Amino acid sequence: MTKPIKIRDGLTIGGQQLQLLAGPCAIESRSQIEAIADYVKAYGANFLRGGAFKPRTSPYAFQGLGLEGLELMVSTAKQYDLAVITELMDVRKLEHFLALEVDIIQIGSRNMQNFDLLRALGETRVPVLLKRGMAATLDEWLNAAEYLVAGGNENIILCERGIRSFETSYRNCLDVSAVAALKQRCPFPVIVDPSHAAGKSNLVTPLAMAAVAAGADGLLIETHHNPEEALSDREQALTPLQLKALLQQADKIARTFDRHF
Ligand code: PEP
Ligand code: MN
């Protein structure tokens, strides 16, 4: 049985209502994050996602705006009454995330087994969205979650984002089986990120539909008001209209299971 996680008064993840966590890969500027927050809010989402500290494969790629980005994210989300989800990579930055009252701290795939980071978050009660490592088994993933539980933080949301496979037609292989299996195995809500699995915008919507049908409690989606100009992950970013269409279709599927967005 899934135990819903309370994020704010009247806002939970893991209940009858599925949640859309949408926003850019990275926060790029105030005008960018405001433009995106504006349509994310208009479509009825409750969460704004976006990275200020980015785990980029190349050290020469855009690394995110850092603390300035985090502040932009939090102030913009406040302006639009959206909850914030953003990635923490370094335990030394945790105090800023707590001071700015980030609603959900994302631990990315590359840090799923960063045990010191997990231990530090275990001492807080901040909701943590723990992404699956790109080659992690469900046992390894659930043991990583256990580091949070061991410290007393049970506000855990799991996020399936695709695992490495031999296939090169898409970025990662979305493990829909994991969603179904986790729903039977553990009490944590499961969010699916089809954006980092697909790597291509035209595959995001079909993967999102499969995720909802498999029992996901919500979707983490990358979107940009102008994808061609995005500074990171531009190929997988949905346009505003694509995001709106995805949400409408996903809601229809959710309703066949007596749930809704
Ligand atoms: C992200 O969500 O911005 C991200 C970097 O994802 P992942 O950790 O799944 O690669
Ligand atoms: Mn990204």
Side-chain angles (χ1 to χ4, degrees):
M1 239 338 238
T2 303
K3 191 169 151 266
I5 305 294
K6 181 179 168 189
I7 309 297
R8 289 178 174 184
D9 283 341
L11 183 59
T12 59
I13 293 186
Q16 284 300 106
Q17 182 179 13
L18 283 77
Q19 298 293 346
L20 175 67
L21 292 61
C25 180
I27 299 140
E28 300 168 0
S29 65
R30 181 177 290 282
S31 61
Q32 177 245 20
I33 194 67
E34 281 184 358
I36 297 169
D38 193 67
Y39 66 80
V40 162
K41 178 73 182 182
Y43 298 159
N46 296 314
F47 292 88
L48 185 64
R49 70 140 279 148
F53 300 93
K54 294 301 302 176
R56 302 307 304 279
T57 301
S58 163
Y60 308 113
F62 175 60
Q63 301 288 308
L65 295 180
L67 195 51
E68 183 199 344
L70 190 65
E71 284 164 354
L72 278 178
M73 175 75 171
V74 170
S75 66
T76 304
K78 207 164 264 170
Q79 194 182 322
Y80 287 91
D81 192 27
L82 290 162
V84 171
I85 166 162
T86 190
E87 179 165 352
L88 173 70
M89 292 202 297
D90 182 340
V91 73
R92 291 170 294 185
K93 301 291 189 315
L94 176 57
E95 58 179 308
H96 300 297
F97 283 61
L98 297 177
L100 287 166
E101 297 180 353
V102 166
D103 296 277
I104 303 179
I105 295 182
Q106 174 173 321
I107 296 301
S109 289
R110 291 155 191 82
N111 276 313
M112 187 202 85
Q113 288 183 314
N114 184 333
F115 300 120
D116 285 340
L117 194 50
L118 297 173
R119 264 192 214 99
L121 287 168
E123 278 161 31
T124 75
R125 296 296 175 263
V126 189
V128 175
L129 179 131
L130 182 63
K131 284 195 153 197
R132 183 182 189 176
M134 57 188 84
T137 64
L138 298 194
D139 281 335
E140 287 163 341
W141 191 6
L142 290 172
N143 268 309
E146 210 54 37
Y147 272 82
L148 299 165
V149 175
N153 189 354
E154 296 190 3
N155 297 317
I156 301 165
I157 301 148
L158 300 174
C159 178
E160 162 64 34
R161 46 78 75 201
I163 49 177
R164 272 283 165 88
S165 82
F166 49 81
E167 184 52 63
T168 54
S169 312
Y170 33 80
R171 192 171 176 183
N172 290 288
C173 181
L174 185 70
D175 186 2
V176 177
S177 310
V179 180
L182 289 169
K183 297 299 290 184
Q184 294 178 16
R185 262 185 83 164
C186 69
F188 311 125
V190 180
I191 295 287
V192 170
D193 168 359
S195 299
H196 290 88
K200 293 176 181 168
S201 60
N202 59 355
L203 293 177
V204 172
T205 300
L207 297 188
M209 299 308 124
V212 173
D217 295 296
L219 297 167
L220 185 74
I221 306 282
E222 285 190 350
T223 177
H224 198 283
H225 62 302
N226 191 357
E228 299 94 86
E229 287 182 9
L231 296 181
S232 60
D233 284 351
R234 67 172 69 108
E235 287 91 25
Q236 68 199 37
L238 297 192
T239 63
L241 285 181
Q242 286 170 332
L243 180 71
K244 188 177 184 189
L246 178 150
L247 185 56
Q248 284 168 350
Q249 275 183 259
D251 183 56
K252 278 192 204 151
I253 295 187
R255 284 177 194 273
T256 68
F257 296 93
D258 292 326
R259 300 179 82 190
H260 63 91
F261 271 87

